[in-house]
Amino acid sequence: MSTHHFRFLFVVLLLPIAMLSQNPPTADDPATTIPPGNGATRCIAHGAPEPVWRSNVDDALNVDASVDIKAVNKYECGIASLLNHEEFDLLDEIASQARSGKSRFSGGTWKLSAFYESLEHPPGADPEWPHHIQKLEDWKTHKPESVTARIALAVAYTAYGWDARGGGTADKVTEGGWRLFAERTAVAARILKEASVLKDKCPHWYVAMLDVALDEGMDPADEESLFQQAIAFEPLYDPYYRARAWFLLPMWNGEEGEVEEFADKTATKIGGQEGNILYFEIAAQLACPCNGFDVKRLSWKRIQAGQAAQQEKYGVSLVKVNWLAKLAKSFSDPAVGEMANAQIGENWDEDTWKSRKLFDNFRSWVANYTGGQKMLRDFNKLAKANLETAEGKEYHAAVASEVPQKLAWFVEQCSSAADDERGSFDLLMSVQGDGVVLMAYVEPYNTKVGNCVQSQMARETITRNSPLYLSPPPKPNYWVKVRMQVKP
């Protein structure tokens, strides 16, 4: 009998499934982190009549993040509008209530964090930094004992420094950019020092100081001491952990493996749902091609547990479902991507994906998986129907003994390559009338040893002595499923 050129046929037939295990970078992947905000929207017009803008602000401060993808952004625009209209007393009242009540949006985002982020930059597409800084200075003058006003001003000065520096690498920053960056960061540090002696305290003071610590190149030991003070003040304020994780990246001040260790120790120390939630928040912060960190070095299982815990405890956030979807793509887990995609619907988050094209790429990836799963369900039905016949039971018994023996070398080699992974997987196979394996699928698809065995099978050229030459089935193109055990 002639030799079968199995490799080409196998790969073509498995292309929809094989694609699921790959996550090639795209040319337009953004070099930015996943931010805690949720998509740009036009802020309330400054010149609107008072009843109009005040009504709009009231609406913006009470938007539901479980149904509105731009809820946090609308809240931030509402806060920015209050500053623009010099509603300083009301701003202090809102911040005070957010602090004392530890208020969160649906999905767990702290309203206090969103409050300060809304004042970090001038609103609108064309930044007017001097005007924005002056508004915050006026607030501080009007309310000299307001810790909120000083933190907001310091946060803005830090961002103002980055506006001068630019977001490029150090070698691309001009001398003038460095000078203004240092001057404005120093102003932020001074303002925060002044705020530290005020009667009222605010957890976001530490976030602002951690940002200054990064920008001024604080000694790592001193930064860690500052972080420990922060979490002693408010253990569950997630911006602390995101700032610390960023500081520990090798591109800044950390060593290889340090940020992963930090995320794991944080989740373990906090424990339970809140520990896993913080792990998810850290992962979302780090899921960025801009920082040189491979997010797959984190635990995908724990990330999923954190997002599930967050939904259970704090409700749904459409933005954070988008985060999960993007992380699922990074971890090549289309099953989770499919579930996230169903929740997202048309509520894609611009800050997460950066472009509709990237989101559509994700959806195509999910659709490919969905189609593959339907095909596998159909093939499984055929295998099950075959097993219900007398001849099918007899053939299954034969190949259930034959296949593990013939593929033993593949399994042994693949087990070693997969760090001695243990367990089992199924091989769903279509066998030609002469006994040649025409197609083979691994279930579950994400089994390391199973995927390796599948790849080895795809490389095999079939002869009479090939392990892919089985006993002839009762009829051609016969579907059968065999359990493969990975033994110690």
Side-chain angles (χ1 to χ4, degrees):
M1 179 176 288
S2 62
T3 298
H4 294 263
H5 296 286
F6 180 80
R7 183 186 304 178
F8 177 78
L9 181 59
F10 193 90
V11 171
V12 169
L13 290 171
L14 284 188
L15 184 59
I17 307 300
M19 286 175 64
L20 302 177
S21 64
Q22 300 175 18
N23 186 31
T26 55
D28 53 350
D29 273 344
T32 53
T33 187
I34 298 178
N38 62 347
T41 189
R42 186 174 62 84
C43 287
I44 298 160
H46 294 167
E50 181 169 348
V52 174
W53 74 258
R54 199 173 286 277
S55 174
N56 287 341
V57 167
D58 289 343
D59 291 341
L61 297 182
N62 295 285
V63 178
D64 185 356
S66 69
V67 295
D68 191 334
I69 190 67
K70 296 186 181 295
V72 176
N73 184 262
K74 289 177 180 179
Y75 175 90
E76 292 174 353
C77 283
I79 297 299
S81 185
L82 290 175
L83 176 68
N84 187 69
H85 288 89
E86 300 182 356
E87 294 286 344
F88 303 137
D89 292 338
L90 183 54
L91 285 168
D92 270 309
E93 181 183 343
I94 292 171
S96 177
Q97 290 177 357
R99 266 193 299 271
S100 61
K102 301 185 179 182
S103 308
R104 299 183 186 232
F105 294 94
S106 179
T109 297
W110 287 69
K111 288 191 174 182
L112 187 64
S113 174
F115 178 93
Y116 285 109
E117 285 179 17
S118 69
L119 303 174
E120 185 174 351
H121 295 88
D126 298 317
E128 299 177 356
W129 276 106
H131 177 78
H132 183 61
I133 293 293
Q134 187 58 55
K135 286 287 186 182
L136 293 167
E137 291 279 9
D138 291 346
W139 180 9
K140 180 171 73 75
T141 301
H142 180 75
K143 305 289 292 290
E145 297 303 311
S146 169
V147 68
T148 307
R150 291 179 187 273
I151 294 172
L153 180 58
V155 165
Y157 261 109
T158 300
Y160 196 18
W162 276 95
D163 181 72
R165 180 198 181 281
T169 54
D171 61 316
K172 299 294 192 299
V173 183
T174 65
E175 182 179 345
W178 279 123
R179 177 178 55 79
L180 289 173
F181 178 70
E183 289 176 359
R184 292 166 183 175
T185 302
V187 172
R190 174 179 57 78
I191 294 168
L192 289 170
K193 185 177 180 180
E194 294 171 356
S196 68
V197 301
L198 297 177
K199 178 182 177 181
D200 291 335
K201 306 299 178 186
C202 178
H204 206 83
W205 182 89
Y206 289 100
V207 178
M209 275 304 303
L210 286 166
D211 287 343
V212 168
L214 178 69
D215 295 349
E216 291 191 330
M218 181 182 284
D219 181 82
D222 292 336
E223 193 274 348
E224 182 177 6
S225 176
L226 178 63
F227 171 73
Q228 293 299 332
Q229 294 173 47
I231 62 175
F233 186 83
E234 179 48 72
L236 299 182
Y237 197 55
D238 59 77
Y240 298 155
Y241 300 92
R242 289 190 269 115
R244 175 68 174 161
W246 200 255
F247 186 90
L248 291 175
L249 284 169
M251 68 178 289
W252 291 108
N253 300 280
E255 301 293 336
E256 287 294 332
E258 196 169 4
V259 71
E260 301 98 296
E261 182 182 7
F262 166 72
D264 185 64
K265 285 185 174 180
T266 292
T268 301
K269 181 179 179 180
I270 298 295
Q273 285 188 318
E274 291 292 358
N276 287 334
I277 289 170
L278 287 173
Y279 196 90
F280 170 69
E281 290 285 337
I282 291 170
Q285 172 74 4
L286 296 175
C288 167
C290 64
N291 56 32
F293 179 75
D294 182 1
V295 73
K296 294 192 292 296
R297 295 169 69 171
L298 298 177
S299 167
W300 179 224
K301 182 178 180 180
R302 201 161 203 173
I303 290 171
Q304 294 176 76
Q307 205 276 337
Q310 198 168 57
Q311 285 204 12
E312 181 180 340
K313 188 159 188 174
Y314 298 112
V316 174
S317 161
L318 289 173
V319 169
K320 294 186 179 183
V321 175
N322 275 261
W323 292 3
L324 180 68
K326 191 169 185 181
L327 285 164
K329 186 69 163 60
S330 296
F331 280 90
S332 299
D333 191 338
V336 173
E338 183 181 39
M339 290 186 291
N341 184 54
Q343 276 192 287
I344 292 170
E346 288 302 314
N347 292 299
W348 73 284
D349 177 41
E350 187 176 348
D351 277 349
T352 299
W353 300 101
K354 299 304 175 185
S355 73
R356 179 73 197 207
K357 179 181 178 181
L358 288 180
F359 178 64
D360 286 342
N361 286 344
F362 160 76
R363 301 196 92 169
S364 296
W365 174 70
V366 168
N368 183 61
Y369 166 77
T370 303
Q373 288 299 105
K374 181 182 183 303
M375 182 175 62
L376 286 178
R377 286 194 295 270
D378 292 341
F379 293 159
N380 269 291
K381 288 178 181 178
L382 293 173
K384 183 178 179 181
N386 287 336
L387 188 57
E388 291 173 351
T389 67
E391 60 183 8
K393 290 177 182 177
E394 182 179 351
Y395 184 71
H396 181 269
V399 296
S401 172
E402 185 179 9
V403 171
Q405 293 179 32
K406 290 198 169 189
L407 298 183
W409 187 85
F410 287 164
V411 173
E412 181 182 350
Q413 295 299 310
C414 289
S415 175
S416 177
D419 300 322
D420 292 325
E421 179 187 69
R422 298 293 178 260
S424 61
F425 61 92
D426 290 329
L427 270 178
L428 178 63
M429 298 177 291
S430 174
V431 186
Q432 293 185 115
D434 57 0
V436 172
V437 178
L438 179 65
M439 290 185 283
Y441 299 93
V442 172
E443 296 182 318
Y445 73 91
N446 58 354
T447 303
K448 290 180 181 179
V449 175
N451 284 339
C452 175
V453 169
Q454 185 181 34
S455 296
Q456 294 290 341
M457 293 170 70
R459 297 188 184 101
E460 185 74 14
T461 299
I462 301 177
T463 65
R464 274 293 183 183
N465 296 321
S466 168
L468 299 180
Y469 222 120
L470 307 180
S471 300
K475 57 185 178 181
N477 300 323
Y478 198 83
W479 284 95
V480 62
K481 179 184 280 191
V482 175
R483 173 60 55 91
M484 301 292 294
Q485 190 68 40
V486 184
K487 299 179 180 180

